[in-house]
Each structure stands twice: as C-alpha cells, then as structure tokens.
Amino acid sequence: EKIDTDDFTSTGKQEFIDKLEAAKEVLVNEDASQADVDKAAEELKAAQDSLVAKADKTKLDEAIKNAEGLTS
C-alpha cells in the first residue's frame, strides 16, 4: 500500500521519511544481518503507526458557512 505523506500532519512525518530511507539502505545492504533487517522493519512500522492523518474539515466548513448565513 502506497503512503502519501501529504495525507498526514507534520507530526511524525519526517521521522517516517527518515526510517523509510534507512530501511531502504538496509534492504540493499548485502552485509545486513537479520538483526539489522528486523530492527529496520520494526522502526519503520513504528514510524508509520505514529503518523497522524489530516482531519477532514468538510463538515466544519459547511457548519461555518451555514452559521455565517444565519448572522447576515
């Protein structure tokens, strides 16, 4: 599943990007041990789990427009 970092807040985004790059380096490293692979996978998963999705503000925007219409 492709992750679009634009769908998430800045909280944890850079850490995720850093862990993704580190995991890619371990993947191409022919001398990586199983411990290196396991650590990279665990750290990447933890960083992914810490991403915070941006809120859908559609309903709030509609409520504000409705309320502004009542105060005009």
Side-chain angles (χ1 to χ4, degrees):
E1 177 180 342
K2 184 171 171 66
I3 294 177
D4 184 353
T5 56
D6 290 337
D7 293 340
F8 297 93
T9 66
S10 60
T11 304
K13 190 187 299 190
Q14 188 58 51
E15 180 182 2
F16 171 75
I17 292 168
D18 293 345
K19 296 299 181 184
L20 177 59
E21 290 305 313
K24 288 178 180 180
E25 289 177 17
V26 171
L27 184 63
V28 298
N29 180 353
E30 293 181 13
D31 295 325
S33 67
Q34 187 62 51
D36 294 334
V37 172
D38 292 347
K39 181 180 177 192
E42 289 172 15
E43 289 179 351
L44 179 58
K45 177 69 172 135
Q48 183 177 346
D49 290 346
S50 71
L51 289 171
V52 177
K54 288 183 180 177
D56 179 358
K57 298 180 182 178
T58 305
K59 289 183 181 180
L60 178 59
D61 185 48
E62 290 172 3
I64 290 171
K65 286 179 182 176
N66 185 41
E68 288 175 340
L70 295 174
T71 60
S72 298

Coordinates of all heavy atoms in Angstrom, one line a residue:
E1 N 0.9 -1.2 0.0 CA 0.0 0.0 0.0 C 0.9 1.2 0.0 O 1.8 1.4 0.8 CB -0.9 0.0 1.2 CG -1.8 1.2 1.4 CD -2.6 1.1 2.7 OE1 -2.8 0.0 3.2 OE2 -3.1 2.1 3.1
K2 N 0.7 2.1 -0.9 CA 1.4 3.3 -1.1 C 1.0 4.4 0.0 O -0.3 4.6 0.1 CB 1.3 3.9 -2.5 CG 2.2 5.1 -2.7 CD 2.1 5.5 -4.2 CE 2.8 6.8 -4.5 NZ 4.2 6.9 -4.3
I3 N 1.9 5.0 0.6 CA 1.6 6.0 1.6 C 1.9 7.4 1.0 O 3.0 7.6 0.6 CB 2.3 5.8 2.9 CG1 1.9 4.5 3.6 CG2 2.2 6.9 3.9 CD1 2.7 4.1 4.8
D4 N 0.9 8.3 1.0 CA 1.1 9.6 0.5 C 1.3 10.5 1.8 O 0.3 10.7 2.5 CB -0.1 10.1 -0.3 CG 0.1 11.5 -0.9 OD1 1.1 12.1 -0.5 OD2 -0.8 11.9 -1.6
T5 N 2.5 11.0 2.0 CA 2.8 11.7 3.2 C 2.0 13.0 3.3 O 1.9 13.6 4.3 CB 4.3 12.0 3.4 OG1 4.8 12.6 2.2 CG2 5.1 10.7 3.6
D6 N 1.5 13.5 2.1 CA 0.7 14.7 2.1 C -0.7 14.5 2.9 O -1.3 15.5 3.2 CB 0.4 15.2 0.7 CG 1.7 15.7 0.1 OD1 2.6 16.1 0.8 OD2 1.7 15.8 -1.2
D7 N -1.1 13.3 3.1 CA -2.3 13.0 3.8 C -2.2 13.0 5.3 O -3.1 12.8 6.0 CB -2.8 11.6 3.4 CG -3.2 11.5 1.9 OD1 -3.5 12.5 1.3 OD2 -3.3 10.3 1.4
F8 N -0.9 13.3 5.8 CA -0.7 13.3 7.2 C -0.2 14.7 7.7 O 0.4 15.4 6.9 CB 0.3 12.2 7.5 CG -0.1 10.8 7.2 CD1 0.1 10.3 6.0 CD2 -0.9 10.1 8.1 CE1 -0.3 9.0 5.6 CE2 -1.4 8.9 7.8 CZ -1.1 8.3 6.5
T9 N -0.4 14.9 9.0 CA 0.1 16.2 9.6 C 1.7 16.1 9.7 O 2.2 15.0 9.4 CB -0.4 16.4 11.0 OG1 0.0 15.3 11.8 CG2 -2.0 16.4 11.0
S10 N 2.3 17.1 10.0 CA 3.7 17.2 10.1 C 4.2 16.3 11.3 O 5.4 15.9 11.3 CB 4.3 18.6 10.2 OG 3.7 19.2 11.4
T11 N 3.3 16.0 12.2 CA 3.7 15.2 13.4 C 4.2 13.8 12.9 O 3.4 13.1 12.4 CB 2.5 15.0 14.3 OG1 2.1 16.3 14.7 CG2 2.9 14.2 15.6
G12 N 5.4 13.5 13.1 CA 6.0 12.2 12.8 C 6.3 12.0 11.3 O 6.9 10.9 11.0
K13 N 6.0 12.9 10.5 CA 6.2 12.8 9.0 C 7.7 12.6 8.7 O 8.1 11.7 8.0 CB 5.6 13.9 8.3 CG 5.6 13.6 6.8 CD 5.1 14.8 5.9 CE 3.8 15.3 6.2 NZ 3.3 16.3 5.2
Q14 N 8.5 13.5 9.3 CA 10.0 13.4 8.9 C 10.6 12.2 9.5 O 11.4 11.6 8.9 CB 10.7 14.7 9.5 CG 12.1 14.8 9.0 CD 12.2 14.8 7.5 OE1 11.6 15.6 6.8 NE2 13.1 13.9 6.9
E15 N 10.2 11.8 10.7 CA 10.7 10.5 11.3 C 10.3 9.3 10.3 O 11.2 8.5 10.1 CB 10.1 10.3 12.7 CG 10.7 9.0 13.3 CD 10.1 8.7 14.6 OE1 9.3 9.4 15.2 OE2 10.5 7.6 15.2
F16 N 9.1 9.3 9.8 CA 8.7 8.2 8.9 C 9.6 8.2 7.7 O 10.1 7.2 7.2 CB 7.2 8.4 8.5 CG 6.8 7.4 7.4 CD1 6.6 6.1 7.7 CD2 6.7 7.9 6.1 CE1 6.3 5.2 6.7 CE2 6.3 7.0 5.1 CZ 6.1 5.7 5.4
I17 N 9.8 9.4 7.1 CA 10.6 9.5 5.9 C 12.0 9.0 6.2 O 12.6 8.3 5.4 CB 10.6 11.0 5.4 CG1 9.2 11.3 4.8 CG2 11.7 11.2 4.3 CD1 9.0 12.8 4.5
D18 N 12.6 9.4 7.3 CA 13.9 9.0 7.7 C 14.0 7.5 7.9 O 15.0 6.9 7.4 CB 14.4 9.7 9.0 CG 14.6 11.2 8.8 OD1 14.7 11.7 7.7 OD2 14.6 11.9 9.9
K19 N 13.0 6.9 8.6 CA 13.0 5.5 8.8 C 12.8 4.7 7.5 O 13.4 3.6 7.3 CB 12.0 5.1 9.8 CG 12.2 5.6 11.2 CD 13.5 5.2 11.8 CE 13.7 5.8 13.2 NZ 15.0 5.4 13.8
L20 N 12.1 5.3 6.6 CA 11.9 4.6 5.3 C 13.2 4.6 4.5 O 13.6 3.6 3.9 CB 10.8 5.4 4.5 CG 10.5 4.9 3.1 CD1 10.1 3.4 3.1 CD2 9.5 5.8 2.4
E21 N 13.9 5.7 4.5 CA 15.2 5.7 3.8 C 16.2 4.8 4.5 O 17.0 4.1 3.8 CB 15.8 7.2 3.8 CG 15.0 8.1 2.9 CD 14.8 7.6 1.5 OE1 15.8 7.2 0.9 OE2 13.7 7.6 0.9
A22 N 16.2 4.7 5.8 CA 17.1 3.8 6.5 C 16.8 2.4 6.2 O 17.7 1.5 5.9 CB 17.0 4.0 8.0
A23 N 15.5 2.0 6.1 CA 15.1 0.7 5.8 C 15.5 0.3 4.3 O 15.9 -0.8 4.1 CB 13.5 0.5 5.9
K24 N 15.4 1.3 3.4 CA 15.8 1.0 2.0 C 17.3 0.7 2.0 O 17.7 -0.1 1.2 CB 15.5 2.2 1.2 CG 14.0 2.3 0.9 CD 13.7 3.6 0.0 CE 12.3 3.8 -0.3 NZ 12.0 5.0 -1.1
E25 N 18.1 1.4 2.8 CA 19.5 1.2 2.8 C 19.8 -0.2 3.3 O 20.7 -0.9 2.8 CB 20.2 2.3 3.7 CG 20.2 3.6 3.1 CD 20.9 4.7 4.0 OE1 21.6 4.3 5.0 OE2 20.6 5.9 3.7
V26 N 19.1 -0.6 4.4 CA 19.3 -2.0 4.9 C 18.9 -3.0 3.8 O 19.6 -4.0 3.7 CB 18.5 -2.2 6.2 CG1 18.5 -3.7 6.6 CG2 19.0 -1.3 7.3
L27 N 17.9 -2.8 3.1 CA 17.4 -3.7 2.1 C 18.4 -4.0 1.0 O 18.6 -5.1 0.6 CB 16.1 -3.1 1.4 CG 15.4 -4.0 0.4 CD1 15.0 -5.3 1.1 CD2 14.3 -3.3 -0.2
V28 N 19.2 -2.9 0.6 CA 20.2 -3.1 -0.5 C 21.5 -3.5 0.1 O 22.4 -3.8 -0.7 CB 20.3 -1.8 -1.4 CG1 19.0 -1.6 -2.1 CG2 20.8 -0.6 -0.6
N29 N 21.7 -3.5 1.4 CA 23.0 -3.8 2.0 C 23.1 -5.4 2.1 O 22.5 -6.0 2.8 CB 23.1 -3.2 3.4 CG 24.4 -3.6 4.1 OD1 25.2 -4.3 3.6 ND2 24.5 -3.0 5.3
E30 N 24.0 -5.9 1.2 CA 24.2 -7.3 1.2 C 24.8 -7.9 2.5 O 24.7 -9.1 2.7 CB 25.1 -7.7 0.0 CG 24.5 -7.4 -1.4 CD 25.4 -7.8 -2.5 OE1 26.4 -8.5 -2.3 OE2 25.0 -7.3 -3.7
D31 N 25.4 -7.1 3.3 CA 26.0 -7.5 4.5 C 25.1 -7.3 5.7 O 25.6 -7.5 6.9 CB 27.4 -6.8 4.8 CG 28.4 -7.1 3.7 OD1 28.4 -8.3 3.3 OD2 29.2 -6.2 3.3
A32 N 23.9 -6.9 5.5 CA 23.0 -6.6 6.6 C 22.6 -8.0 7.3 O 22.4 -9.0 6.7 CB 21.7 -6.0 6.1
S33 N 22.7 -7.9 8.6 CA 22.3 -9.1 9.4 C 20.8 -9.2 9.6 O 20.1 -8.2 9.3 CB 23.0 -9.1 10.8 OG 22.4 -8.0 11.6
Q34 N 20.3 -10.3 10.1 CA 18.9 -10.5 10.3 C 18.4 -9.5 11.4 O 17.4 -8.9 11.3 CB 18.5 -11.9 10.7 CG 17.0 -12.1 10.8 CD 16.3 -11.9 9.5 OE1 16.7 -12.5 8.5 NE2 15.3 -11.1 9.5
A35 N 19.3 -9.2 12.3 CA 19.0 -8.3 13.4 C 18.8 -6.9 12.8 O 18.0 -6.1 13.2 CB 20.1 -8.2 14.5
D36 N 19.7 -6.5 11.8 CA 19.6 -5.2 11.1 C 18.2 -5.1 10.4 O 17.6 -4.1 10.5 CB 20.7 -5.0 10.1 CG 22.1 -4.9 10.8 OD1 22.2 -4.5 11.9 OD2 23.1 -5.3 10.1
V37 N 17.9 -6.2 9.7 CA 16.6 -6.2 9.0 C 15.4 -6.1 9.9 O 14.5 -5.3 9.7 CB 16.5 -7.5 8.1 CG1 15.2 -7.6 7.5 CG2 17.6 -7.5 7.0
D38 N 15.5 -6.9 11.0 CA 14.3 -6.8 11.9 C 14.2 -5.5 12.6 O 13.1 -4.9 12.7 CB 14.6 -7.9 13.0 CG 14.4 -9.3 12.5 OD1 14.0 -9.5 11.4 OD2 14.9 -10.2 13.2
K39 N 15.3 -4.9 12.9 CA 15.3 -3.5 13.6 C 14.8 -2.5 12.6 O 13.9 -1.7 13.0 CB 16.7 -3.2 14.0 CG 16.8 -1.8 14.7 CD 18.2 -1.4 15.1 CE 18.2 -0.1 15.8 NZ 19.5 0.5 15.9
A40 N 15.2 -2.5 11.4 CA 14.7 -1.6 10.4 C 13.2 -1.7 10.1 O 12.5 -0.7 10.0 CB 15.5 -1.7 9.1
A41 N 12.8 -3.0 10.0 CA 11.3 -3.2 9.8 C 10.5 -2.7 11.0 O 9.5 -2.1 10.8 CB 11.1 -4.7 9.6
E42 N 11.0 -3.0 12.2 CA 10.3 -2.6 13.4 C 10.2 -1.0 13.5 O 9.2 -0.5 13.9 CB 10.9 -3.2 14.7 CG 10.7 -4.6 14.8 CD 11.6 -5.2 16.0 OE1 12.1 -4.5 16.8 OE2 11.7 -6.5 16.0
E43 N 11.3 -0.4 13.3 CA 11.4 1.1 13.3 C 10.5 1.7 12.3 O 9.9 2.7 12.5 CB 12.8 1.5 13.2 CG 13.7 1.2 14.5 CD 15.1 1.7 14.4 OE1 15.5 2.1 13.3 OE2 15.8 1.6 15.4
L44 N 10.5 1.1 11.1 CA 9.7 1.7 10.0 C 8.2 1.5 10.4 O 7.4 2.5 10.2 CB 10.0 1.0 8.7 CG 9.1 1.5 7.5 CD1 9.3 3.0 7.3 CD2 9.5 0.7 6.2
K45 N 7.8 0.4 10.9 CA 6.4 0.1 11.3 C 6.0 1.1 12.4 O 4.9 1.7 12.4 CB 6.2 -1.3 11.7 CG 4.9 -1.7 12.2 CD 3.8 -1.7 11.1 CE 2.5 -2.2 11.6 NZ 1.4 -1.4 11.2
A46 N 6.9 1.3 13.4 CA 6.6 2.2 14.5 C 6.4 3.6 14.0 O 5.5 4.4 14.4 CB 7.7 2.1 15.5
A47 N 7.3 4.1 13.1 CA 7.2 5.4 12.5 C 5.9 5.5 11.7 O 5.2 6.6 11.7 CB 8.4 5.7 11.6
Q48 N 5.5 4.5 11.0 CA 4.3 4.5 10.2 C 3.1 4.6 11.1 O 2.1 5.4 10.9 CB 4.2 3.3 9.3 CG 2.9 3.3 8.4 CD 2.9 2.0 7.5 OE1 3.9 1.4 7.4 NE2 1.7 1.8 6.9
D49 N 3.1 3.9 12.2 CA 2.0 3.9 13.2 C 1.8 5.2 13.9 O 0.8 5.6 14.4 CB 2.2 2.8 14.2 CG 2.0 1.4 13.6 OD1 1.4 1.3 12.5 OD2 2.4 0.4 14.3
S50 N 2.9 6.0 13.9 CA 2.9 7.3 14.6 C 2.4 8.4 13.7 O 2.2 9.6 14.2 CB 4.2 7.6 15.2 OG 5.2 8.0 14.2
L51 N 2.2 8.2 12.4 CA 1.7 9.2 11.5 C 0.3 9.6 11.9 O -0.5 8.7 12.3 CB 1.7 8.7 10.1 CG 3.1 8.6 9.4 CD1 2.9 7.9 8.1 CD2 3.7 9.9 9.2
V52 N 0.0 10.9 11.9 CA -1.4 11.4 12.2 C -2.0 11.9 11.0 O -1.5 12.8 10.3 CB -1.3 12.5 13.3 CG1 -2.6 13.1 13.6 CG2 -0.6 12.0 14.5
A53 N -3.2 11.3 10.6 CA -3.9 11.7 9.4 C -4.5 13.1 9.6 O -4.9 13.5 10.6 CB -5.0 10.7 9.1
K54 N -4.4 13.8 8.5 CA -5.1 15.1 8.5 C -6.6 15.0 8.6 O -7.2 14.0 8.1 CB -4.7 15.9 7.2 CG -3.3 16.4 7.1 CD -3.1 17.1 5.8 CE -1.7 17.6 5.7 NZ -1.4 18.3 4.4
A55 N -7.2 15.9 9.3 CA -8.6 15.9 9.6 C -9.4 16.3 8.3 O -8.9 17.1 7.5 CB -8.9 16.8 10.7
D56 N -10.5 15.7 8.1 CA -11.5 16.1 7.1 C -12.3 17.2 7.7 O -13.1 17.0 8.6 CB -12.3 14.9 6.7 CG -13.3 15.2 5.6 OD1 -13.4 16.4 5.2 OD2 -14.1 14.3 5.2
K57 N -12.1 18.4 7.2 CA -12.8 19.6 7.7 C -14.0 20.0 6.9 O -14.6 21.0 7.1 CB -11.8 20.7 7.8 CG -10.7 20.4 8.7 CD -9.7 21.6 8.8 CE -8.5 21.2 9.7 NZ -7.5 22.3 9.7
T58 N -14.5 19.1 6.0 CA -15.7 19.4 5.2 C -16.9 19.8 6.0 O -17.5 20.8 5.7 CB -16.0 18.2 4.3 OG1 -14.8 17.8 3.6 CG2 -17.1 18.5 3.3
K59 N -17.3 18.9 7.0 CA -18.5 19.2 7.8 C -18.3 20.5 8.6 O -19.3 21.3 8.7 CB -18.7 18.0 8.7 CG -19.3 16.8 8.0 CD -19.6 15.7 9.0 CE -20.1 14.5 8.2 NZ -20.4 13.4 9.2
L60 N -17.1 20.8 9.1 CA -16.9 22.0 9.9 C -17.1 23.2 8.9 O -17.7 24.2 9.3 CB -15.5 22.0 10.5 CG -15.1 23.2 11.3 CD1 -16.1 23.5 12.4 CD2 -13.7 23.1 11.8
D61 N -16.5 23.1 7.7 CA -16.6 24.2 6.8 C -18.1 24.5 6.4 O -18.5 25.6 6.4 CB -15.8 23.9 5.5 CG -15.8 25.0 4.5 OD1 -15.5 26.2 4.9 OD2 -16.0 24.8 3.3
E62 N -18.8 23.4 6.2 CA -20.3 23.6 5.9 C -21.0 24.2 7.1 O -21.9 25.1 6.9 CB -20.9 22.2 5.6 CG -20.4 21.7 4.3 CD -20.9 20.2 4.0 OE1 -21.7 19.7 4.9 OE2 -20.5 19.7 3.0
A63 N -20.7 23.8 8.3 CA -21.4 24.4 9.5 C -21.0 25.8 9.7 O -21.9 26.6 10.0 CB -20.9 23.6 10.8
I64 N -19.8 26.2 9.4 CA -19.4 27.6 9.5 C -20.2 28.5 8.5 O -20.7 29.5 8.7 CB -17.9 27.8 9.4 CG1 -17.2 27.2 10.6 CG2 -17.5 29.3 9.1 CD1 -15.7 27.2 10.5
K65 N -20.2 28.0 7.2 CA -21.0 28.7 6.2 C -22.4 28.8 6.5 O -23.0 29.9 6.3 CB -20.8 28.0 4.8 CG -19.4 28.1 4.3 CD -19.2 27.4 3.0 CE -17.8 27.6 2.4 NZ -17.5 26.8 1.2
N66 N -23.0 27.8 7.1 CA -24.4 27.8 7.5 C -24.6 28.8 8.6 O -25.5 29.6 8.6 CB -24.9 26.4 7.9 CG -26.3 26.4 8.3 OD1 -27.1 27.0 7.5 ND2 -26.7 25.7 9.3
A67 N -23.7 28.8 9.6 CA -23.8 29.8 10.7 C -23.6 31.2 10.2 O -24.3 32.1 10.7 CB -22.8 29.4 11.8
E68 N -22.7 31.4 9.3 CA -22.5 32.8 8.8 C -23.7 33.3 8.0 O -24.0 34.4 8.0 CB -21.3 32.8 7.9 CG -20.0 32.7 8.6 CD -18.7 32.6 7.7 OE1 -18.9 32.2 6.6 OE2 -17.6 32.9 8.3
G69 N -24.4 32.3 7.4 CA -25.6 32.7 6.6 C -26.7 33.1 7.6 O -27.6 34.0 7.3
L70 N -26.7 32.6 8.8 CA -27.8 33.0 9.8 C -27.5 34.3 10.4 O -28.4 35.0 10.9 CB -27.8 31.9 10.9 CG -28.3 30.5 10.5 CD1 -28.2 29.5 11.6 CD2 -29.7 30.6 9.9
T71 N -26.2 34.7 10.4 CA -25.9 36.0 11.1 C -25.8 37.2 10.1 O -25.6 38.3 10.5 CB -24.5 35.9 11.7 OG1 -23.5 35.6 10.7 CG2 -24.4 34.9 12.8
S72 N -26.1 36.9 8.8 CA -26.1 38.0 7.8 C -27.3 38.8 7.9 O -28.4 38.5 8.2 CB -26.0 37.4 6.4 OG -24.8 36.8 6.3

